[in-house]
Amino acid sequence: MSKKYNFAIIGCGVIANTHGNVINAIERANLYAVCDIIKDKADEFAKKYNADNVYYDYMEMLQDPNIDIVCICTPSGMHGEMAVNVANAGKHIVCEKPIEITTEKIKPIIEAVKRNNIKFQSIFQRRTMPAAIATKKLIEEGKLGKIVMANAYLKYYRDQAYYDSAGWRGTWELDGGGALMNQGVHGIDLLQWMVGQKVTSIFGRADHLSRNIEVEDTAVALLQFEGGGYGVIEGATTCYPGLDTTFAIHGEKGTIIFSDSGIERWDFIDEDIPRPDAGEKIGGATGATHISSGGHYILLNDLIDAIENDRQPMIPPEEGKVAVEIINSIYRSEREKKEVYL
């Protein structure tokens, strides 16, 4: 029988439940420890997911030699320091999105991962969607020809009570942004990953139009890709009741449009290409508790396989950085009221 890997979770909030469920569902995984600075929260989480070891200080937990992999599920602005400390302790890492809130804070993560020769998996579960994988492959094969437009519509709904539910939500310091950095980062990552071209310039607008928060609840941005095509991002947490996340890719030879509910258009000028399976609905438009766990299952399994075969995981920190750079550039464009060049 192959080795079982001992997982630990730092931060027992909403998204940690997905990690707890997935770890318990993976044959080669064992939820060994959990940690939260709030004692009752950690104790209840450990009991719920059958973890034998409970910690209230993650640095103390990192001294445990039995831990193989650590899932970082804390507020976004805490990820960087924690990831560096986890890497320095020689543990492999699963890190929720975004892996940090600025590219400057991501640089030490990348350095620590390389220096300690550990594996790091960024959580961008939308990359596991069959429609997205098929779209990326067709773009790479030139089946759509030159990409002229690539758009992401990321229209979520979060009420004021959501932001009031935790002190870090909707703050620059720990959330790093709003509708784009917290919710929209998944779709922004997926868009750039599918197109496979560097974003060269951005003109964006982002502000809090409805919610009483520091950061944006509504944003739009125009992107230009290296290949000359344009992209549009519409991101919000103000769109009641929360719409399906939708991607529209238009090339000279065809159009692909898909959303959480499936593939809406799959049209090519010069050939008949079979549609892929729609796959599991990711969800999340109406709340973080409505996100499916299938993508996490694939990514955590992939990390175990990467460790065993000494290869890069599907989404190393270098790739986790790209969406953060795009979002930071949209914020900069809003502040400076002009186009920003990357």
Side-chain angles (χ1 to χ4, degrees), residues 6-48:
N6 283 334
F7 280 76
I9 295 174
I10 307 175
C12 299
V14 174
I15 199 62
N17 291 284
T18 301
H19 288 254
N21 282 321
V22 167
I23 291 163
N24 284 336
I26 293 175
E27 191 178 344
R28 294 182 292 172
N30 171 52
L31 184 53
Y32 174 85
V34 300
C35 178
D36 199 285
I37 57 171
I38 302 172
K39 185 179 184 299
D40 290 348
K41 205 172 183 180
D43 291 344
E44 287 170 19
F45 192 90
K47 187 177 178 183
K48 182 177 180 180

Side-chain angles (χ1 to χ4, degrees), residues 54-227:
V54 187
Y55 291 90
Y56 315 111
D57 179 341
Y58 86 96
M59 290 299 286
E60 182 187 340
M61 185 181 78
L62 293 180
Q63 294 173 31
D64 191 326
N66 295 310
I67 295 170
D68 300 305
I69 300 167
V70 175
C71 297
I72 300 175
C73 299
T74 51
S76 306
M78 299 171 73
H79 291 175
E81 183 180 338
M82 287 183 167
V84 170
N85 286 329
V86 174
N88 288 340
K91 320 291 188 189
H92 303 288
I93 299 170
V94 175
C95 188
E96 269 297 332
K97 58 74 200 169
I99 64 172
E100 246 299 350
I101 56 176
T102 67
T103 53
E104 291 79 12
K105 289 185 174 184
I106 292 174
K107 188 180 177 185
I109 299 175
I110 295 170
E111 290 170 350
V113 166
K114 287 180 179 173
R115 185 173 64 248
N116 294 286
N117 194 29
I118 59 110
K119 309 299 181 189
F120 183 109
Q121 184 81 286
S122 314
I123 293 291
F124 282 117
Q125 68 267 29
R126 286 191 175 276
R127 290 200 192 189
T128 68
M129 296 170 70
I133 293 166
T135 299
K136 179 175 176 62
K137 186 169 183 287
L138 292 173
I139 290 172
E140 287 173 349
E141 292 172 350
K143 300 291 188 185
L144 276 82
K146 180 178 180 177
I147 302 303
V148 292
M149 289 185 73
N151 305 336
Y153 305 104
L154 317 168
K155 299 179 180 180
Y156 299 91
Y157 184 73
R158 302 289 188 271
D159 59 14
Q160 187 64 44
Y162 162 83
Y163 289 105
D164 295 342
S165 69
W168 64 276
R169 295 192 190 279
T171 66
W172 286 114
E173 183 185 1
L174 291 177
D175 217 352
L180 296 180
M181 188 65 83
N182 191 311
Q183 289 79 21
V185 64
H186 283 292
I188 293 166
D189 171 75
L190 193 70
L191 188 72
Q192 63 83 25
W193 179 72
M194 288 190 297
V195 173
Q197 298 175 19
K198 182 177 167 58
V199 174
T200 56
S201 71
I202 291 174
F203 185 86
R205 285 289 176 268
D207 205 351
H208 48 103
L209 304 183
S210 183
R211 305 286 173 253
N212 182 27
I213 53 177
E214 295 176 5
V215 298
E216 86 288 354
D217 57 23
T218 309
V220 294
L222 171 65
L223 282 58
Q224 181 145 33
F225 291 99
E226 203 168 30

Side-chain angles (χ1 to χ4, degrees), residues 296-315:
H296 282 74
Y297 185 89
I298 291 169
L299 291 172
L300 267 64
N301 253 319
D302 176 76
L303 178 64
I304 291 172
D305 187 73
I307 294 166
E308 292 192 337
N309 293 288
D310 194 22
R311 63 165 174 83
Q312 280 279 41
M314 283 173 64
I315 316 174

